[in-house]
Amino acid sequence: MIPLGPPGARPRVGHNRSVEIEGADALLAEVTEKYSEFLNPGLARLLSFAGFGVEARAEGCYVFDHSGRKFLDCLGGYGVFSLGHRHPKVLEAARAALDTMPLSAKVFFSKPMADLAEKLAEITPGGLKFTFLCNSGTEAVEGALKVAKAFDGRPKVVSTEGGYHGKSMGSLSATGREKYRAPFYPLVPEFVHVPFNDVQAMEEAVDNRTAAVIVEPVQGEGGIHVPDISYLPSVREICDRNDALLVLDEVQTGFGRTGRMFGMEHSGVVPDLVTFAKALGGGVAPIGAFVGTREVWERTFGPNPLIHTSTFGGNAMACAAALAVIDVVTEERLWERSEKMGARLIGGLRNVRSQLPDLIADVRGLGLMIGVEFAMDDVAEICIGQMLKRGVVAAYTLNNSRVIRFEPPLIIEESQVDMAVNVFGEALDETQSLVSAVMGDVSG
Ligand SMILES: Cc1ncc(COP(=O)(O)O)c(C=O)c1O
């Protein structure tokens, strides 16, 4: 194990400096080789190309690598680290559960699970009341879609192009990107995809065979697309008219990310089912959940309480962490911070864009869920590498590699936002030079 310096330190300058650097280099080589040999050679190449080292520890808005280098985390684990890394209150809650009963024996009643379900009913709007607990986003979607299909036996599900709901078979059937779907055909039958933010297309797709429509309040992996304010209310109305259920996937938008507690609050739409994961575990425990109405529960879990189950779902440690997360987000009103810091970040990024309008096509988002779309392919990767070199972690969106997403912890400070913007500007200048060298002048 490589001894790490204090936060942010480069390897210490002194008599053993070369030994430390050699040790750090050896660790990186060892882990890279194990990735190539035992995990995923293509992923090893991808991470090495971008310049990522080995993660060693994390605190607040920062991640430290194997050499002690400090990075501002503007990716936030794809939306997991809304409270930052290792939030003390979440750690304390998880530790207490570890010391008593981390995993559930399953056959007894569980108080942490009961408390979390009650809390979720309290903070979600309308008639959303009953919760099923699982371990990830894709499981939450998988379960919600199963319940929606069992509700009245209809076979069809409508989702959106570019939408991302996970990569297990049912969720993947809803996910709207061919690249991830094509190798696995046939997927679950009767999944239909329509363009996002297109009411007419939704109107034409939903009919009396439709069990559910599943949609994200803001498309995350599709490239951070914010729909018109009237879109979700129209989708709700179309569902009601056709007796189809509306499932909102808040796996990425939930718990303050978009400047409201939930993404659905921007339009006031209440779904029949909502899915959560990512930030719900506070970056400490993996957890997913779907919450639905009494009517949905009565018609699915009513006839068979074991119709959908999970061995690890609802374990005491994850529930304890999630309860602490909800307390922190609520007490600190972190959605307000998200809105404020998001306005600062998007303003800064738009300012950078105004200097390089031919390279950046758009800067858009809600709260601290912000996307920068490049005007051409492959530029985002170069820019991400340049940002990393300058100490900021970012990544592109899974269904749209032209878009770099900024999803830092909601606890980010103004000075950290400004640092991220400056680094992005510098990285972009460098990217432009590199692209110009290959393709000629792109500055216009
Ligand atoms: C909206 C949405 N739904 C579902 C998922 C799948 O979550 P997981 O990766 O935890 O399975 C994601 C992941 O990015 C997501 O953004």
Side-chain angles (χ1 to χ4, degrees):
M1 187 63 205
I2 303 301
L4 295 175
R10 302 284 300 158
R12 253 184 305 128
V13 178
H15 68 280
N16 60 352
R17 180 172 180 266
S18 59
V19 175
E20 286 185 12
I21 290 177
E22 264 171 37
D25 287 349
L27 176 71
L28 177 57
E30 179 196 334
V31 175
T32 308
E33 169 147 358
K34 285 182 182 169
Y35 263 61
S36 301
E37 289 295 318
F38 305 114
L39 279 168
N40 187 333
L43 181 63
R45 279 194 297 275
L46 213 63
L47 294 178
S48 298
F49 174 77
F52 285 101
V54 182
E55 59 187 7
R57 65 183 188 87
E59 190 85 50
C61 293
Y62 293 104
V63 177
F64 300 86
D65 79 0
H66 63 287
S67 70
R69 255 198 98 189
K70 171 177 165 181
F71 298 89
L72 181 64
D73 188 359
C74 276
L75 170 60
Y78 304 105
V80 167
F81 295 104
S82 289
L83 300 193
H85 294 265
R86 304 177 61 250
H87 191 286
K89 287 190 181 159
V90 186
L91 283 181
E92 193 187 321
R95 273 196 199 110
L98 270 179
D99 288 342
T100 48
M101 185 159 188
L103 288 184
S104 167
K106 295 313 279 188
V107 287
F108 294 86
F109 285 109
S110 157
K111 179 157 165 55
M113 198 161 155
D115 289 344
L116 179 58
E118 180 190 33
K119 183 63 83 177
L120 286 169
E122 191 185 306
I123 62 171
T124 48
L128 294 169
K129 186 169 188 301
F130 286 87
T131 289
F132 181 92
L133 290 158
C134 51
N135 312 284
S136 65
T138 199
E139 282 175 72
V141 170
E142 206 65 54
L145 292 177
K146 277 181 69 184
V147 162
K149 285 182 82 165
F151 181 69
D152 59 8
R154 293 182 179 189
K156 186 171 155 185
V157 173
V158 180
S159 63
T160 57
E161 290 167 10
Y164 189 87
H165 302 287
K167 287 180 179 154
S168 54
M169 283 301 207
S171 307
L172 183 62
S173 303
T175 286
R177 193 179 186 202
E178 268 320 283
K179 182 175 172 179
Y180 295 128
R181 296 160 48 83
F184 306 104
Y185 283 137
L187 290 168
V188 180
E190 304 224 30
F191 275 66
V192 175
H193 298 84
V194 296
F196 184 64
N197 200 25
D198 183 335
V199 175
Q200 185 61 34
M202 189 63 81
E203 181 79 71
E204 283 162 19
V206 179
D207 55 28
N208 62 10
R209 301 178 69 256
T210 305
V213 171
I214 180 164
V215 67
E216 296 155 87
V218 175
Q219 259 195 0
E221 301 306 324
I224 318 289
H225 291 290
V226 184
D228 298 339
I229 195 72
S230 59
Y231 178 62
L232 287 182
S234 301
V235 174
R236 173 77 270 182
E237 192 273 321
I238 293 168
C239 287
D240 289 346
R241 209 170 349 103
N242 289 279
D243 288 326
L245 299 182
L246 175 62
V247 184
L248 287 184
D249 184 347
E250 294 252 14
V251 164
Q252 195 160 156
T253 48
F255 305 100
R257 174 58 52 194
T258 68
R260 299 283 185 278
M261 183 62 153
F262 301 115
M264 57 189 155
E265 289 174 23
H266 290 279
S267 60
V269 163
V270 181
D272 302 288
L273 285 153
V274 62
T275 55
F276 299 126
K278 294 194 187 265
L280 179 58
V284 171
I287 184 168
F290 61 92
V291 185
T293 60
R294 175 183 289 281
E295 195 191 1
V296 169
W297 247 246
E298 273 172 1
R299 301 226 337 231
T300 52
F301 289 98
N304 181 357
L306 302 181
I307 194 153
H308 189 67
T309 54
S310 163
T311 300
F312 290 131
N315 67 76
M317 196 187 73
C319 290
L323 279 162
V325 167
I326 295 171
D327 279 352
V328 172
V329 174
T330 313
E331 276 162 23
E332 297 181 16
R333 300 177 69 81
L334 280 182
W335 58 89
E336 290 179 0
R337 194 174 176 82
S338 168
E339 189 171 34
K340 186 166 165 232
M341 292 298 151
R344 190 177 183 97
L345 182 53
I346 207 167
L349 295 171
R350 284 190 171 138
N351 204 17
V352 174
R353 182 196 173 209
S354 66
Q355 281 141 48
L356 288 168
D358 291 343
L359 206 54
I360 302 179
D362 197 14
V363 178
R364 54 181 178 254
L366 261 187
L368 278 171
M369 190 169 176
I370 298 171
V372 174
E373 177 159 2
F374 287 91
M376 61 194 91
D377 289 335
D378 303 328
V379 178
E381 278 119 304
I382 302 172
C383 190
I384 287 163
Q386 292 299 328
M387 288 172 73
L388 191 72
K389 260 168 79 179
R390 292 165 174 80
V392 174
V393 178
Y396 53 73
T397 54
L398 269 179
N399 281 353
N400 188 344
S401 58
R402 279 192 179 194
V403 177
I404 293 187
R405 44 126 60 87
F406 288 78
E407 294 187 41
L410 310 184
I411 58 167
I412 194 167
E413 306 275 341
E414 286 184 355
S415 58
Q416 293 166 328
V417 168
D418 297 346
M419 186 257 188
V421 170
N422 289 338
V423 161
F424 177 66
E426 285 171 27
L428 207 59
D429 280 341
E430 183 74 25
T431 302
Q432 190 194 22
S433 309
L434 293 168
V435 172
S436 301
V438 179
M439 300 181 49
D441 191 13
V442 292
S443 67

